[in-house]
Amino acid sequence: MIKEKLKDKVAEILSSKEWTFADLTNMSQLVTGFSEEIYTQLDAKEKISMVWERDISKAISYANNECSFGKFFSHIVMEEIKIQVAKILQEQLLKANINFGNNKNKEEETNEISKRSLVGKPHKRGKTISKKDSEE
């Protein structure tokens, strides 16, 4: 369930603004930024469920630096979020379409409305003959 929530959060962040190529080139910075934002949105239960079954033997070296449980916990939660966010971002970016500013979207081209129809003036045609005029 938490993985689905992370996917939704990443998708929400991605769709929240228009990204430039430069924004997306530094993957490490991008993952860190997304992870920090997501970390603040998760409650304690969600954070615990993310790392409850995690092997912490590799993270023990971080704890050997005489840190508190709180720092250790936030460190392993952030690590896990970064791992998940990196996977999700990679998935999303591999499916992404790039649109350069000078290219028109095909849908926009087919849905163009003529200038005349926007102005509201009828096209000039010959005089319309009404029934009364033709009887005379």
Side-chain angles (χ1 to χ4, degrees):
M1 182 175 130
I2 193 72
K3 288 185 181 183
E4 287 303 314
K5 186 171 185 174
L6 289 176
K7 276 186 178 183
D8 292 344
K9 297 273 186 196
V10 169
E12 184 181 312
I13 296 169
L14 277 173
S15 64
S16 69
K17 73 175 217 171
E18 224 174 272
W19 297 88
T20 65
F21 186 73
D23 293 334
L24 302 173
T25 55
N26 188 342
M27 191 61 133
S28 175
Q29 185 178 348
L30 195 64
V31 168
T32 299
F34 277 50
S35 298
E36 288 171 352
E37 185 171 338
I38 290 169
Y39 182 88
T40 63
Q41 296 174 7
L42 297 175
D43 62 30
K45 186 177 178 182
E46 291 169 321
K47 291 173 183 174
I48 289 172
S49 70
M50 284 187 74
V51 296
W52 190 255
E53 298 294 324
R54 183 173 170 178
D55 177 19
I56 61 166
S57 58
K58 292 179 182 172
I60 296 291
S61 63
Y62 181 81
N64 286 340
N65 294 331
E66 298 180 24
C67 71
S68 67
F69 173 76
K71 284 184 180 179
F72 177 72
F73 178 72
S74 65
H75 173 76
I76 61 171
V77 170
M78 186 58 87
E79 264 187 2
E80 188 62 29
I81 292 172
K82 284 180 179 181
I83 290 167
Q84 297 302 320
V85 166
K87 287 177 185 176
I88 296 166
L89 271 174
Q90 183 180 17
E91 256 177 43
Q92 294 291 326
L93 292 175
L94 287 174
K95 294 188 291 185
N97 292 324
I98 298 172
N99 183 10
F100 294 100
N102 59 354
N103 291 343
K104 274 193 171 184
N105 187 339
K106 287 182 182 179
E107 190 176 314
E108 288 175 7
E109 289 176 0
T110 58
N111 290 334
E112 276 190 20
I113 301 171
S114 70
K115 192 174 184 177
R116 183 177 65 235
S117 65
L118 291 175
V119 176
K121 294 180 182 176
H123 184 37
K124 290 185 178 180
R125 293 186 188 154
K127 184 179 177 184
T128 308
I129 301 173
S130 68
K131 193 173 185 178
K132 288 181 183 178
D133 290 341
S134 61
E135 290 174 358
E136 292 177 2

